[in-house]
Amino acid sequence: MLDLDSLPGDDLAVNLADTVMLAVSPSIDLLDDGHAKFWSAQALPEGASAPSPEQTRRLRSAVRELLEAVVAAREPEAWAVERVNAAAAAVPTSPRLIDGGAETCWHGEDGGEIALAAVAVAAIALVSGPRAAQLRRCGAHDCSMLFVAANSRRVWCTPSLCGNRVRVARHAAKS
């Protein structure tokens, strides 16, 4: 079974969307016992801290809807677009020159949640950019995880878990 330690890790928005397992009944919310662990494992902008579990779940539902819409080649629900846009707009950014180039500086001084804004910006970049065509749902029938397939032949979220289970089942069926 997938857990927070085995998320595919492709993208910040995908990571958040994958914290709920929808292919089982009832669904399993990996944030129930792992909210702080999830946020501590993410590459977040400087100054970001873990938002509340309620804020996290609220944005997760919107991000998941956006990503599912891309996978299903349909328009996302308007509420999801509005929620993601609001989260992205809640924390302004500015470019900052540094040695060897530039970086983005996040301004959460007015109470915006930098972590949520970073997820929203990642979701917007993913669904509106060239990587949207690489977004996939795991090919295992009992998995709902999403991933960005850098290789067009990739069909499982994690080859060592879902891919291995499918291969073992296929081998057992032949015997």
Side-chain angles (χ1 to χ4, degrees):
M1 176 192 279
L2 287 172
D3 58 20
L4 286 175
D5 292 324
S6 58
L7 288 176
D10 299 303
D11 180 276
L12 182 56
V14 174
N15 289 348
L16 181 59
D18 282 345
T19 61
V20 62
M21 298 175 69
L22 302 170
V24 294
S25 183
S27 62
I28 298 172
D29 188 340
L30 299 176
L31 296 176
D32 282 346
D33 296 322
H35 181 261
K37 182 178 182 179
F38 169 78
W39 286 113
S40 67
Q42 303 309 306
L44 296 171
E46 186 176 325
S49 59
S52 74
E54 295 77 26
Q55 290 172 305
T56 302
R57 285 183 178 91
R58 184 171 156 82
L59 183 61
R60 177 183 64 191
S61 65
V63 168
R64 184 75 191 204
E65 167 57 22
L66 286 182
L67 301 182
E68 290 283 356
V70 168
V71 170
R74 63 170 172 77
E75 288 296 316
E77 297 287 331
W79 65 266
V81 173
E82 290 171 17
R83 190 172 294 165
V84 169
N85 284 340
V91 180
T93 61
S94 64
R96 175 179 286 168
L97 286 174
I98 59 170
D99 290 338
E103 68 179 3
T104 299
C105 183
W106 296 75
H107 304 283
E109 301 86 13
D110 293 327
E113 289 289 347
I114 295 173
L116 295 177
V119 170
V121 167
I124 291 168
L126 177 58
V127 302
S128 66
R131 293 183 336 131
Q134 299 170 315
L135 188 60
R136 309 262 192 286
R137 182 177 296 105
C138 184
H141 75 280
D142 59 347
C143 183
S144 62
M145 299 294 125
L146 301 170
F147 62 93
V148 179
N151 177 333
S152 63
R153 294 178 47 203
R154 182 177 169 191
V155 294
W156 299 296
C157 62
T158 52
S160 62
L161 289 175
C162 287
N164 208 28
R165 284 184 307 159
V166 170
R167 286 188 292 272
V168 167
R170 190 180 316 140
H171 179 74
K174 289 181 184 177
S175 300

